[in-house]
Amino acid sequence: MLDKIADQGWNGTECAARLDGVTQPTWRGCVVWRDVGEPVMWRADETDLLPAAPVGSAILSEDPELPDEWWDGLSASLDALAAHQTRRVATPDTDTITQASVTESIRAVFSGDFDTTVQRWLPAHADLNWANVTAPVFSLFDWEDWGNAPQGLDSASLWGSSLAVPSLADRVRQERRRDLESRDGKLMTLFVCSKILGPYAHPEDPRLEPARRMAGQVIKDLQED
């Protein structure tokens, strides 16, 4: 819609093209046009082809057995992304992330005496899951939602997408422990768990129990900080 053109998502891929050190398809250009019959603007971005196929669906049920070089590429790109500066604000699940939305999501599912105040806001992809990365050659794509977010959002999101495969979830936590062991990373772990365990949770989702266990541990850690 026309009133959303200035908002998140309109030019995310183009803006992401300036992110040095982040492995992604090269942006080549775009075409923009207005719908003659509706109050809508359309945009098509052209990028290089992906260097390999996406790892899988957003949530995996089997270990993709990624090589060490792939994990090195992931961490190098996420660290480089976080070192940039931007005025964009991330929109995970198409909703602008704010302190209020973080607190609301966490408090809607978890109780306890702990502070939900975010300390560090850093650039994040904001839609990091197994459908938006390629392998065996690493590349990160689908940049519509990127922008500033609490430290650890991307790492926690990929961990949440891995919970049905315990060894994979453990590998994400190992590789991204600097993010996930930070105070904000713990809050983002709860934020992701709140999405898994919230009112729309499927009773047969294999991620439910590991998410509950991790949430309990994180809440305990936050209360002790």
Side-chain angles (χ1 to χ4, degrees), residues 139-162:
S139 183
L140 179 55
F141 63 100
D142 194 4
W143 287 89
E144 286 84 356
D145 296 314
W146 84 275
N148 286 321
Q151 179 185 5
L153 173 63
D154 283 342
S155 299
S157 297
L158 192 62
W159 169 80
S161 295
S162 311

Side-chain angles (χ1 to χ4, degrees), residues 68-209:
D68 291 343
E69 292 78 10
W70 188 95
W71 293 101
D72 291 342
L74 170 71
S75 286
S77 288
L78 293 186
D79 291 345
L81 173 59
H84 281 273
Q85 294 184 345
T86 183
R87 289 178 292 182
R88 293 173 62 90
V89 180
T91 56
D93 300 321
T94 72
D95 293 326
T96 301
I97 192 166
T98 64
Q99 178 63 68
S101 68
V102 169
T103 298
E104 181 180 356
S105 294
I106 292 174
R107 293 300 185 194
V109 179
F110 305 111
S111 59
D113 182 18
F114 59 92
D115 187 5
T116 60
T117 302
V118 174
Q119 297 174 343
R120 298 188 71 196
W121 294 76
L122 302 171
H125 179 273
D127 192 19
L128 182 52
N129 61 62
W130 295 108
N132 289 336
V133 288
T134 62
V137 180
F138 172 80
S139 183
L140 179 55
F141 63 100
D142 194 4
W143 287 89
E144 286 84 356
D145 296 314
W146 84 275
N148 286 321
Q151 179 185 5
L153 173 63
D154 283 342
S155 299
S157 297
L158 192 62
W159 169 80
S161 295
S162 311
L163 277 179
V165 186
S167 61
L168 184 60
D170 289 345
R171 183 65 185 267
V172 173
R173 291 196 63 83
Q174 174 188 336
E175 297 292 336
R176 302 303 302 164
R177 58 185 178 276
R178 184 173 63 179
D179 271 350
L180 295 173
E181 291 178 359
S182 69
R183 188 180 184 284
D184 291 330
K186 293 174 183 177
L187 288 175
M188 287 301 94
T189 299
L190 280 187
F191 180 75
V192 168
C193 287
S194 74
K195 305 295 185 180
I196 297 172
L197 300 171
Y200 301 107
H202 192 286
E204 296 182 3
D205 187 340
R207 300 177 299 159
L208 294 181
E209 186 54 36

